[in-house]
């Protein structure tokens, strides 16, 4: 359980009041907290049909990608990347959460309604390299296009 504890500490470290955030988070029946992006991480949000194949590519080339969230319904997949990435990101169809935005984050290891972890943070601060994420997105998109051509 120490992994979950350090993940909780890492995530709540960005909250305006980490103690109050942790207290609320652990007792909130929804098991989620609103946390500010742009401090310890930004989030790149891909459509689910691209996000899942992108994550598949990433886990083939990385031992440990950064944290990854998915919303209820698998419509959007959010990759945690270094702060400042959202301001520089130019990808079409990709939503970003950076400085000045807040994201709904589930308690690590808890099943919640609304959002869930595909890759739970380990507390170490590991984030996905945006250049590697972009390459994985291109490979995933090419794979999707190839499958569409085969079934066209």
């Amino acid at each position: 359980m120490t992994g979950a504890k350090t993940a909780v500490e890492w995530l709540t470290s960005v909250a305006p009041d980490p103690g109050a955030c942790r207290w609320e988070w652990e007792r909130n029946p929804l098991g989620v907290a609103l946390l500010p992006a742009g401090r310890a991480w930004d989030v790149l949000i891909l459509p689910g049909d691209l996000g899942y194949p992108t994550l598949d590519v990433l886990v083939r080339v990385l031992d440990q990608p950064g944290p990854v969230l998915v919303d209820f319904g698998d419509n959007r997949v959010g990759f945690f990347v270094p702060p400042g990435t959202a301001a520089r990101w130019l990808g079409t169809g990709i939503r970003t959460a950076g400085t000045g935005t807040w994201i709904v984050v589930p308690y690590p290891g808890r099943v919640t309604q609304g959002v869930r972890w595909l890759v739970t943070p380990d507390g170490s601060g590991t984030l996905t390299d945006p250049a590697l994420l972009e390459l994985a997105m291109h490979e995933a998109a090419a794979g999707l296009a190839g499958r569409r051509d085969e079934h066209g």
Side-chain angles (χ1 to χ4, degrees), residues 6-7 10-11 13 40-41 64-67 80-83 121-128:
T6 57
W10 179 72
L11 288 165
S13 71
W41 62 79
Q64 178 66 39
F80 280 50
V81 294
D122 61 8
S124 70
T126 299
L127 299 168
T128 297

Side-chain angles (χ1 to χ4, degrees), residues 47-102:
D49 59 352
L50 177 60
Y52 276 101
T54 298
L55 180 57
D56 289 344
V57 172
L58 279 176
V59 295
R60 284 200 317 261
V61 297
L62 287 175
D63 288 336
Q64 178 66 39
V68 181
L69 287 173
V70 66
D71 71 350
F72 181 72
D74 299 331
N75 296 320
R76 290 183 297 275
V77 179
F79 293 84
F80 280 50
V81 294
T85 302
R88 295 186 303 271
W89 193 263
L90 300 175
T92 306
I94 308 302
R95 295 172 55 196
T96 62
T99 302
T101 62
W102 294 70

Side-chain angles (χ1 to χ4, degrees), residues 32-45:
V32 296
L34 268 179
L35 294 174
R39 292 182 182 175
W41 62 79
D42 284 357
V43 183
L44 297 181
I45 305 162

Side-chain angles (χ1 to χ4, degrees), residues 114-133:
V115 293
R116 70 182 192 281
W117 293 107
L118 293 177
V119 177
T120 306
D122 61 8
S124 70
T126 299
L127 299 168
T128 297
D129 179 296
L132 191 56
L133 179 59

Side-chain angles (χ1 to χ4, degrees), residues 137-149:
M137 286 169 45
H138 287 294
E139 184 173 326
L144 290 170
R147 281 196 288 282
R148 278 198 284 279
D149 291 345

